[in-house]
Amino acid sequence: MKLANQKLIYFSPIIVVAVIFIFILTLIPSVSPAPKDLPIAFVNGDEGVTVPTKGNVNIGDQIEQNIKSSSTKQSSVKWIFVSNTKEVEKGLNNLKYYGALIIPKDFSKKQATLQTTQPDAPAIRLLVNQGMNTAASTLASQVLNGAVDKVNENMRLQLVKRFEQSGTQLSTKQALALVAPAQKTVINVNETGTHSVNGNAPVSLFQPLWMASIAGAAVIFLTIQKITFSSRKEKIVNQVGLVIIGAILALAAGFGLAWMAEVVGITVPSFLDTALFLAIAYFSFFTLILAVLSWVGLKGLPIFVIILFFGAPLLSMAPEIMPDFYREWIYSWLPMRFMVDGVRELFFFRGHLTWNHSVSALTFIALISLCALFASALPVSSVKREKSRSI
């Protein structure tokens, strides 16, 4: 049988298993995600209260000390102690914190009323930075609610002990107040809304843009492969033409993708700003892919397909939830993360295109790629051939 003489047949099981192994690696980060150093802000605005037998009592300070002591025992949360609410709000808007716990100035004062006939339960504000990352903000919400539950547990034990020592009979209001001595108010900031693919619209927009970048670069590369250049100057002029074509494709992709996102029901806060940013991202990806193809040929194309499969699961996760290896050695090298971060800022934070970290990073990638693209028109071998002809 002639088929038995083909050596590749015997290697096919190894190839199949290797492909399965490569793509199963993409599932590892999302199998059992565990947060590490998830930044959550804490503000203690409690002014305390003067108690005749105890002097000044500040429950907020006690809560702060308890959180500081507990934070040394766990690495899942990184509590950041901030001086005031305005600083927290600024940090939330600048994507520094996934959430915040705020103790109001009258916390101790109201807590003291729980032992009177007219109890007024103090309130704790919980801010959840929903737009920063869906999964991470959910974890932050769980951490914040757990912290308040712990506060309630401690306060309840202290109050029950005091009532027992004084022999006071609880009124109905006091009994109800003991259920939740500290009320909590949960506020979602930078909300994702109801038409954002559950907050994953930035990641959803990345995939078609990345594939369009691969397709555009591959088509252009195959087209120029059919062209014969008589001189180096002619090839450089051709590279300039490629950049112009890339810019046209970028505008078409940016405005087309923004329009189609609206068609399918995704809320696009600012159509023009979103379209222009997507165009910048496309141009950056297009030049990167075309530069690699110009140096290594079509065999470089699978690299960007593999990047898609490895990158897509990570882009929907917060860096603090990823395993160390994936965060340091894969996620940090993904160029598309700047596109996702930029769209996230446009959709859930800024609403307008600015010269931010994402835009500057994509521009830098495009500039480096353009340098590599033009350098591919000046290989050493070509220079030698031109010199030999002149001699």
Side-chain angles (χ1 to χ4, degrees):
M1 187 171 62
K2 294 183 178 180
L3 186 63
N5 296 327
Q6 301 298 317
K7 295 181 179 180
L8 190 60
I9 293 295
Y10 299 101
F11 286 99
S12 59
I14 299 175
I15 295 172
V16 169
V17 173
V19 170
I20 292 174
F21 174 75
I22 291 173
F23 286 100
I24 204 69
L25 291 177
T26 64
L27 300 176
I28 293 177
S30 55
V31 171
S32 56
K36 182 179 181 181
D37 293 334
L38 196 71
I40 297 179
F42 179 92
V43 177
N44 178 21
D46 192 5
E47 296 178 349
V49 64
T50 301
V51 179
T53 57
K54 295 184 179 180
N56 185 268
V57 176
N58 193 304
I59 305 299
D61 288 345
Q62 296 176 18
I63 295 173
E64 183 176 344
Q65 291 303 318
N66 289 336
I67 288 179
K68 284 182 178 179
S69 61
S70 64
S71 63
T72 59
K73 301 174 184 177
Q74 57 169 328
S75 61
S76 60
V77 179
K78 181 181 180 181
W79 288 97
I80 301 173
F81 298 91
V82 185
S83 59
N84 55 69
T85 305
K86 287 186 177 180
E87 188 177 342
V88 164
E89 291 174 352
K90 184 179 178 181
L92 291 169
N93 292 331
N94 289 333
L95 290 83
K96 290 177 62 177
Y97 316 126
Y98 288 98
L101 189 152
I102 301 175
I103 306 292
K105 64 180 182 180
D106 60 353
F107 190 85
S108 292
K109 184 178 180 180
K110 286 190 174 182
Q111 194 269 350
T113 67
L114 297 179
Q115 300 178 66
T116 67
T117 56
Q118 295 296 325
D120 185 10
I124 296 177
R125 289 175 62 202
L126 305 180
L127 305 182
V128 179
N129 203 357
Q130 197 175 56
M132 198 165 169
N133 182 273
T134 303
S137 63
T138 301
L139 287 172
S141 178
Q142 293 172 357
V143 170
L144 291 169
N145 279 284
V148 175
D149 291 341
K150 188 67 175 177
V151 169
N152 275 325
E153 181 182 345
N154 292 334
M155 289 178 62
R156 190 181 302 113
L157 291 173
Q158 291 176 8
L159 288 169
V160 169
K161 185 177 180 180
R162 289 171 189 169
F163 281 125
E164 288 178 348
Q165 290 175 347
S166 63
T168 305
Q169 186 175 1
L170 297 181
S171 66
T172 304
K173 288 183 179 180
Q174 289 173 325
L176 289 174
L178 281 177
V179 175
Q183 301 293 318
K184 56 185 175 184
T185 303
V186 181
I187 302 172
N188 290 325
V189 297
N190 301 310
E191 294 183 88
T192 57
T194 57
H195 296 85
S196 61
V197 197
N198 294 322
N200 291 314
V203 180
S204 300
L205 293 181
F206 143 71
Q207 297 188 45
L209 192 75
W210 182 257
M211 291 305 298
S213 303
I214 295 176
V219 169
I220 297 301
F221 176 76
L222 290 173
T223 302
I224 62 175
Q225 286 293 96
K226 300 177 182 179
I227 302 174
T228 303
F229 301 102
S230 57
S231 66
R232 183 190 304 169
K233 181 180 179 181
E234 185 178 343
K235 191 171 183 181
I236 292 176
V237 172
N238 178 78
Q239 303 295 71
V240 174
L242 293 180
V243 175
I244 296 173
I245 293 173
I248 295 172
L249 291 177
L251 290 172
F255 280 84
L257 183 56
W259 174 74
M260 284 185 278
E262 287 190 330
V263 170
V264 299
I266 296 176
T267 300
V268 180
S270 174
F271 179 84
L272 180 60
D273 290 335
T274 301
L276 288 175
F277 177 76
L278 292 175
I280 293 171
Y282 181 93
F283 186 76
S284 179
F285 299 156
F286 172 85
T287 53
L288 172 64
I289 297 168
L290 190 60
V292 172
L293 296 183
S294 298
W295 279 99
V296 303
L298 283 178
K299 56 180 174 290
L301 208 58
I303 296 173
F304 299 99
V305 178
I306 292 175
I307 289 176
L308 169 65
F309 284 103
F310 272 94
L314 295 178
L315 294 174
S316 60
M317 302 174 66
E320 293 82 3
I321 303 178
M322 301 175 193
D324 292 342
F325 172 80
Y326 283 84
R327 181 176 61 253
E328 300 296 334
W329 296 101
I330 298 182
Y331 178 78
S332 61
W333 293 94
L334 293 177
M336 62 277 280
R337 68 186 175 95
F338 301 110
M339 176 261 178
V340 173
D341 290 344
V343 174
R344 180 174 286 114
E345 287 192 42
L346 281 170
F347 276 33
F348 311 131
F349 292 85
R350 308 285 182 266
H352 298 286
L353 183 62
T354 59
W355 183 262
N356 54 23
H357 178 65
S358 298
V359 174
S360 59
L362 290 170
T363 303
F364 179 75
I365 292 172
L367 290 174
I368 296 298
S369 300
L370 286 174
C371 292
L373 182 63
F374 281 99
S376 68
L378 305 169
V380 177
S381 57
S382 297
V383 175
K384 290 181 178 179
R385 282 200 297 270
E386 287 192 8
K387 286 184 177 180
S388 63
R389 288 196 194 102
S390 62
I391 293 173

